[in-house]
Amino acid sequence: MNHPLLNTAIACARAAGDHIMQWSTRLDRLDVTIKSPHNHVSNIDTECEEKIVAIIRKRYPDHAIMSEEGNTDHAPKTGRIQWIIDPLDGTENYLRGIPCVAVSIAVIVDGVQDVGVIYDPFRNELFTAIRNHGALCDNKRMRVSTTKQLNESLIAYDAPHHHGIQAAKTAAAIVTTQRCSLRSFHAAALSLAWLADGRLDGYFCFGIQPWDSAAGTLMVHEAGGQVTSLTDKHYLHSGHFVAANNNIHKELTDSMHAQLQKTETA
């Protein structure tokens, strides 16, 4: 499909991905700053962001941008379109030589997720989604898995450091009570893309940011899955949500709520 916003997002993702790969064998030469415990930013994060922003600004100078590393206009100048970007999702993995990272780019039109692109540069996999037009991995249609029981499922989860204890307790309780398999890849966008492609059956998170989830949650929806906030806020704004295939979504969501209630009353 010839979709200008999608084409631009893909160009941005590939430009950032190329830069990530160029530095992947020179990690000892990176300039790394500590933002908070277990939360680093490198020159690759900022340089990839600059490359993405430059492409967007050249093609769409009036569009707003929200980005993890600070190139942010909080309100669209046209009142309609905003780009949400994570130039390097999985920075901690990347800095340690773990090839589990992604570039994540979403486009919001009139407040609704319209386009999503996630690029895995190490595997050269491109995940894309357009609202009401489905989701693709390298031009092949993505569908969520058909796993029917939570105790047969492979579930991923993410949480930043300040939510780590809550996430660990909830994860342990879910494994103990539901007997599912659990993974944490520390790259939320990639986990959501894998969920959309049927490689994972479910996903939950605490406190992640819109740039982590905006593209991936659109893909889950377009691949036939569901996303539900664990608070009274929209999942993009709460950062606490469950995503899963239709068969296990309710059971996983109910289990999450039950465990959170236990935590609150403990």
Side-chain angles (χ1 to χ4, degrees):
M1 176 181 291
N2 184 16
H3 190 296
L5 293 175
L6 176 65
N7 293 341
T8 298
I10 290 172
C12 290
R14 289 199 181 278
D18 288 346
H19 195 58
I20 289 168
M21 293 307 296
Q22 287 169 7
W23 278 87
S24 63
T25 58
R26 295 180 286 167
L27 298 178
D28 58 327
R29 296 174 58 186
L30 297 181
D31 181 13
V32 180
T33 302
I34 300 175
K35 293 197 291 186
S36 61
H38 301 284
N39 186 14
H40 297 78
V41 62
S42 73
N43 59 293
I44 301 305
D45 295 77
T46 54
E47 289 166 11
C48 285
E49 181 175 281
E50 289 168 0
K51 290 178 181 296
I52 292 170
V53 169
I55 293 171
I56 296 170
R57 289 282 182 240
K58 182 177 181 179
R59 300 187 187 187
Y60 302 106
D62 293 332
H63 290 186
I65 297 171
M66 175 190 291
S67 180
E68 180 174 13
E69 307 309 335
N71 277 294
T72 298
D73 295 325
H74 289 285
K77 297 172 184 175
T78 63
R80 294 194 63 237
I81 299 176
Q82 183 178 46
W83 295 72
I84 302 181
I85 61 178
D86 190 342
L88 177 52
D89 184 40
T91 298
E92 299 299 317
N93 290 341
Y94 183 73
L95 295 178
R96 291 178 176 269
I98 300 171
C100 188
V101 306
V103 182
S104 179
I105 301 172
V107 185
I108 310 298
V109 178
D110 294 329
V112 178
Q113 293 156 273
D114 195 64
V115 168
V117 169
I118 294 171
Y119 180 53
D120 177 348
F122 282 96
R123 296 168 186 80
N124 193 27
E125 287 189 311
L126 181 68
F127 304 88
T128 61
I130 301 174
R131 180 166 55 98
N132 298 328
H133 287 86
L136 304 175
C137 175
D138 293 332
N139 295 316
K140 295 180 181 179
R141 182 69 180 267
M142 290 198 292
R143 299 297 298 176
V144 293
S145 72
T146 58
T147 303
K148 291 181 168 52
Q149 302 295 329
L150 189 54
N151 62 10
E152 300 173 350
S153 300
L154 181 60
I155 309 296
Y157 76 96
D158 282 298
H161 180 68
H162 58 284
H163 286 285
I165 294 176
Q166 180 186 32
K169 287 182 177 179
T170 304
I174 292 292
V175 169
T176 301
T177 59
Q178 303 300 331
R179 306 296 182 185
C180 57
S181 295
L182 203 63
R183 304 287 187 274
S184 184
F185 300 104
H186 296 281
L190 207 51
S191 292
L192 288 164
W194 289 346
L195 172 60
D197 201 33
R199 306 178 199 184
L200 299 171
D201 304 305
Y203 174 83
F204 66 87
C205 59
F206 299 102
I208 68 171
Q209 299 296 325
W211 46 76
D212 298 313
S213 62
T217 49
L218 175 62
M219 291 178 190
V220 172
H221 281 299
E222 291 298 321
Q226 298 182 52
V227 183
T228 298
S229 177
L230 291 169
T231 74
D232 57 0
K233 297 180 180 179
H234 188 276
Y235 54 81
L236 284 184
H237 304 300
S238 75
H240 297 51
F241 63 82
V242 174
N245 74 32
N246 294 327
N247 295 327
I248 68 165
H249 183 266
K250 185 179 186 304
E251 187 178 2
L252 180 57
T253 303
D254 290 347
S255 296
M256 290 293 298
H257 280 302
Q259 295 304 325
L260 291 173
Q261 287 175 359
K262 289 180 181 179
T263 301
E264 291 171 358
T265 57

